[in-house]
């Protein structure tokens, strides 16, 4: 698979592999406390040029990438990606995404999540894709619902963010549900 096959058009831009030259836009758009409040702590804040360089370097060379840049107006303004789990969860993939606040509410992720879901099911041996959303992130919950993901659980006070215990909402889609939805 070539990287041209992992480029997908969106109404406002496209999803494409990360590449050198994305670092400035990445550090500018990712260094936002409101984004950081809704993601895991390994996502740096502030997001420095060094963090951006490390991210791009670690993601630019895959033939079948598991992270794609969200590009709008020629700039990398977000990411959508997945991680395939291991051991007894080896047929599960966790999907995650973030987007520059400049583009919130414009339907970008509502378009991107179904595309990435399709990409995962078509190219990887996965039976279940799931997402973990921190309590209060209603926009992300809505994106997953629009994409056909099912709200399957609330892990009560399972996460800690900003020194507060938060509920974690689990959304999922099974391969069989995806097939039915896309007939």
């Amino acid at each position: 698979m070539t990287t041209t096959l992992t480029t997908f058009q969106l109404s406002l831009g496209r999803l494409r592999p990360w590449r050198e030259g994305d670092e400035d836009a990445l550090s500018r758009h990712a260094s936002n406390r409101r984004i950081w409040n809704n993601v895991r702590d390994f996502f740096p804040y502030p997001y420095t040029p060094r963090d951006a360089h490390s991210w791009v370097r670690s993601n630019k060379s895959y033939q079948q990438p598991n992270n794609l840049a969200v590009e709008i107006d020629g700039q990398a303004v977000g990411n959508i990606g997945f991680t395939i789990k291991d051991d007894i969860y080896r047929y599960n993939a966790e999907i995650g995404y973030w987007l520059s606040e400049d583009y919130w509410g414009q339907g970008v992720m509502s378009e991107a999540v179904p595309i990435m879901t399709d990409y995962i099911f078509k190219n990887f041996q996965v039976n279940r894709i799931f997402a973990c959303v921190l309590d209060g992130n209603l926009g992300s919950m809505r994106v997953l619902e629009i994409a056909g993901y099912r709200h399957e659980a609330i892990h009560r006070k399972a996460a800690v963010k900003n020194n507060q215990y938060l509920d974690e909402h689990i959304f999922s889609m099974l391969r069989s549900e995806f097939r039915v939805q896309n007939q």
Side-chain angles (χ1 to χ4, degrees), residues 99-114:
L99 183 66
S100 170
E101 189 175 1
D102 296 347
Y103 301 99
W104 289 1
Q106 296 181 38
V108 174
M109 283 303 172
S110 293
E111 221 179 327
V113 168

PDB file of all heavy atoms in Angstrom, residues 99-114:
ATOM      1  N   LEU A  99      -8.491  17.851  17.053  1.00  0.00           N
ATOM      2  CA  LEU A  99      -8.589  18.834  15.982  1.00  0.00           C
ATOM      3  C   LEU A  99      -8.374  20.221  16.551  1.00  0.00           C
ATOM      4  O   LEU A  99      -8.841  20.525  17.660  1.00  0.00           O
ATOM      5  CB  LEU A  99      -9.984  18.746  15.337  1.00  0.00           C
ATOM      6  CG  LEU A  99     -10.268  19.650  14.151  1.00  0.00           C
ATOM      7  CD1 LEU A  99      -9.396  19.270  12.944  1.00  0.00           C
ATOM      8  CD2 LEU A  99     -11.743  19.581  13.778  1.00  0.00           C
ATOM      9  N   SER A 100      -7.706  21.066  15.793  1.00  0.00           N
ATOM     10  CA  SER A 100      -7.514  22.460  16.179  1.00  0.00           C
ATOM     11  C   SER A 100      -8.854  23.087  16.536  1.00  0.00           C
ATOM     12  O   SER A 100      -9.851  22.895  15.838  1.00  0.00           O
ATOM     13  CB  SER A 100      -6.874  23.228  15.018  1.00  0.00           C
ATOM     14  OG  SER A 100      -6.874  24.620  15.277  1.00  0.00           O
ATOM     15  N   GLU A 101      -8.860  23.853  17.597  1.00  0.00           N
ATOM     16  CA  GLU A 101     -10.090  24.519  18.024  1.00  0.00           C
ATOM     17  C   GLU A 101     -10.664  25.416  16.923  1.00  0.00           C
ATOM     18  O   GLU A 101     -11.875  25.631  16.853  1.00  0.00           O
ATOM     19  CB  GLU A 101      -9.831  25.327  19.295  1.00  0.00           C
ATOM     20  CG  GLU A 101     -11.074  25.877  19.924  1.00  0.00           C
ATOM     21  CD  GLU A 101     -10.843  26.567  21.253  1.00  0.00           C
ATOM     22  OE1 GLU A 101      -9.680  26.643  21.713  1.00  0.00           O
ATOM     23  OE2 GLU A 101     -11.833  27.047  21.832  1.00  0.00           O
ATOM     24  N   ASP A 102      -9.811  25.905  16.042  1.00  0.00           N
ATOM     25  CA  ASP A 102     -10.264  26.757  14.930  1.00  0.00           C
ATOM     26  C   ASP A 102     -11.303  26.062  14.049  1.00  0.00           C
ATOM     27  O   ASP A 102     -12.050  26.724  13.329  1.00  0.00           O
ATOM     28  CB  ASP A 102      -9.082  27.156  14.025  1.00  0.00           C
ATOM     29  CG  ASP A 102      -8.051  28.013  14.730  1.00  0.00           C
ATOM     30  OD1 ASP A 102      -8.325  28.528  15.837  1.00  0.00           O
ATOM     31  OD2 ASP A 102      -6.953  28.165  14.166  1.00  0.00           O
ATOM     32  N   TYR A 103     -11.337  24.727  14.072  1.00  0.00           N
ATOM     33  CA  TYR A 103     -12.213  23.965  13.181  1.00  0.00           C
ATOM     34  C   TYR A 103     -13.286  23.166  13.912  1.00  0.00           C
ATOM     35  O   TYR A 103     -13.986  22.371  13.290  1.00  0.00           O
ATOM     36  CB  TYR A 103     -11.362  23.051  12.277  1.00  0.00           C
ATOM     37  CG  TYR A 103     -10.403  23.864  11.455  1.00  0.00           C
ATOM     38  CD1 TYR A 103      -9.075  24.008  11.848  1.00  0.00           C
ATOM     39  CD2 TYR A 103     -10.826  24.541  10.310  1.00  0.00           C
ATOM     40  CE1 TYR A 103      -8.187  24.782  11.117  1.00  0.00           C
ATOM     41  CE2 TYR A 103      -9.951  25.322   9.581  1.00  0.00           C
ATOM     42  CZ  TYR A 103      -8.636  25.444   9.991  1.00  0.00           C
ATOM     43  OH  TYR A 103      -7.773  26.227   9.271  1.00  0.00           O
ATOM     44  N   TRP A 104     -13.417  23.378  15.221  1.00  0.00           N
ATOM     45  CA  TRP A 104     -14.455  22.678  15.970  1.00  0.00           C
ATOM     46  C   TRP A 104     -15.830  23.078  15.446  1.00  0.00           C
ATOM     47  O   TRP A 104     -16.073  24.214  15.052  1.00  0.00           O
ATOM     48  CB  TRP A 104     -14.365  23.005  17.458  1.00  0.00           C
ATOM     49  CG  TRP A 104     -13.182  22.400  18.166  1.00  0.00           C
ATOM     50  CD1 TRP A 104     -12.199  21.629  17.626  1.00  0.00           C
ATOM     51  CD2 TRP A 104     -12.856  22.541  19.543  1.00  0.00           C
ATOM     52  NE1 TRP A 104     -11.279  21.273  18.592  1.00  0.00           N
ATOM     53  CE2 TRP A 104     -11.664  21.825  19.779  1.00  0.00           C
ATOM     54  CE3 TRP A 104     -13.453  23.210  20.604  1.00  0.00           C
ATOM     55  CZ2 TRP A 104     -11.063  21.752  21.031  1.00  0.00           C
ATOM     56  CZ3 TRP A 104     -12.856  23.143  21.859  1.00  0.00           C
ATOM     57  CH2 TRP A 104     -11.674  22.412  22.069  1.00  0.00           C
ATOM     58  N   GLY A 105     -16.756  22.118  15.447  1.00  0.00           N
ATOM     59  CA  GLY A 105     -18.134  22.393  15.078  1.00  0.00           C
ATOM     60  C   GLY A 105     -18.381  22.520  13.588  1.00  0.00           C
ATOM     61  O   GLY A 105     -19.470  22.918  13.175  1.00  0.00           O
ATOM     62  N   GLN A 106     -17.399  22.170  12.765  1.00  0.00           N
ATOM     63  CA  GLN A 106     -17.552  22.299  11.314  1.00  0.00           C
ATOM     64  C   GLN A 106     -17.722  20.943  10.614  1.00  0.00           C
ATOM     65  O   GLN A 106     -17.678  20.868   9.387  1.00  0.00           O
ATOM     66  CB  GLN A 106     -16.366  23.057  10.724  1.00  0.00           C
ATOM     67  CG  GLN A 106     -16.298  24.494  11.221  1.00  0.00           C
ATOM     68  CD  GLN A 106     -15.139  25.272  10.629  1.00  0.00           C
ATOM     69  OE1 GLN A 106     -14.818  25.102   9.453  1.00  0.00           O
ATOM     70  NE2 GLN A 106     -14.506  26.099  11.437  1.00  0.00           N
ATOM     71  N   GLY A 107     -17.865  19.877  11.398  1.00  0.00           N
ATOM     72  CA  GLY A 107     -18.130  18.560  10.821  1.00  0.00           C
ATOM     73  C   GLY A 107     -16.897  17.817  10.328  1.00  0.00           C
ATOM     74  O   GLY A 107     -17.031  16.766   9.696  1.00  0.00           O
ATOM     75  N   VAL A 108     -15.719  18.331  10.626  1.00  0.00           N
ATOM     76  CA  VAL A 108     -14.487  17.706  10.126  1.00  0.00           C
ATOM     77  C   VAL A 108     -14.340  16.294  10.687  1.00  0.00           C
ATOM     78  O   VAL A 108     -14.134  15.334   9.934  1.00  0.00           O
ATOM     79  CB  VAL A 108     -13.246  18.568  10.455  1.00  0.00           C
ATOM     80  CG1 VAL A 108     -11.963  17.849  10.056  1.00  0.00           C
ATOM     81  CG2 VAL A 108     -13.345  19.934   9.778  1.00  0.00           C
ATOM     82  N   MET A 109     -14.452  16.140  11.985  1.00  0.00           N
ATOM     83  CA  MET A 109     -14.282  14.814  12.580  1.00  0.00           C
ATOM     84  C   MET A 109     -15.486  13.911  12.322  1.00  0.00           C
ATOM     85  O   MET A 109     -15.335  12.698  12.249  1.00  0.00           O
ATOM     86  CB  MET A 109     -13.976  14.912  14.076  1.00  0.00           C
ATOM     87  CG  MET A 109     -12.548  15.308  14.351  1.00  0.00           C
ATOM     88  SD  MET A 109     -11.380  14.160  13.581  1.00  0.00           S
ATOM     89  CE  MET A 109      -9.855  14.998  13.855  1.00  0.00           C
ATOM     90  N   SER A 110     -16.662  14.490  12.141  1.00  0.00           N
ATOM     91  CA  SER A 110     -17.824  13.672  11.784  1.00  0.00           C
ATOM     92  C   SER A 110     -17.630  13.023  10.420  1.00  0.00           C
ATOM     93  O   SER A 110     -18.195  11.975  10.131  1.00  0.00           O
ATOM     94  CB  SER A 110     -19.103  14.517  11.786  1.00  0.00           C
ATOM     95  OG  SER A 110     -19.399  14.922  13.105  1.00  0.00           O
ATOM     96  N   GLU A 111     -16.826  13.637   9.587  1.00  0.00           N
ATOM     97  CA  GLU A 111     -16.475  13.075   8.287  1.00  0.00           C
ATOM     98  C   GLU A 111     -15.276  12.127   8.398  1.00  0.00           C
ATOM     99  O   GLU A 111     -15.218  11.094   7.745  1.00  0.00           O
ATOM    100  CB  GLU A 111     -16.105  14.233   7.349  1.00  0.00           C
ATOM    101  CG  GLU A 111     -16.617  14.112   5.974  1.00  0.00           C
ATOM    102  CD  GLU A 111     -16.228  15.311   5.109  1.00  0.00           C
ATOM    103  OE1 GLU A 111     -16.132  16.447   5.601  1.00  0.00           O
ATOM    104  OE2 GLU A 111     -16.006  15.057   3.912  1.00  0.00           O
ATOM    105  N   ALA A 112     -14.312  12.492   9.237  1.00  0.00           N
ATOM    106  CA  ALA A 112     -13.056  11.739   9.342  1.00  0.00           C
ATOM    107  C   ALA A 112     -13.217  10.395  10.055  1.00  0.00           C
ATOM    108  O   ALA A 112     -12.601   9.403   9.651  1.00  0.00           O
ATOM    109  CB  ALA A 112     -11.993  12.580  10.049  1.00  0.00           C
ATOM    110  N   VAL A 113     -14.021  10.329  11.101  1.00  0.00           N
ATOM    111  CA  VAL A 113     -14.154   9.084  11.872  1.00  0.00           C
ATOM    112  C   VAL A 113     -14.709   7.939  11.021  1.00  0.00           C
ATOM    113  O   VAL A 113     -14.154   6.836  11.044  1.00  0.00           O
ATOM    114  CB  VAL A 113     -14.948   9.306  13.179  1.00  0.00           C
ATOM    115  CG1 VAL A 113     -15.329   7.980  13.831  1.00  0.00           C
ATOM    116  CG2 VAL A 113     -14.128  10.149  14.154  1.00  0.00           C
ATOM    117  N   PRO A 114     -15.772   8.128  10.235  1.00  0.00           N
ATOM    118  CA  PRO A 114     -16.226   7.022   9.376  1.00  0.00           C
ATOM    119  C   PRO A 114     -15.174   6.595   8.345  1.00  0.00           C
ATOM    120  O   PRO A 114     -15.056   5.410   8.036  1.00  0.00           O
ATOM    121  CB  PRO A 114     -17.470   7.581   8.686  1.00  0.00           C
ATOM    122  CG  PRO A 114     -17.958   8.657   9.590  1.00  0.00           C
ATOM    123  CD  PRO A 114     -16.724   9.256  10.203  1.00  0.00           C
TER     124      PRO A 114
END
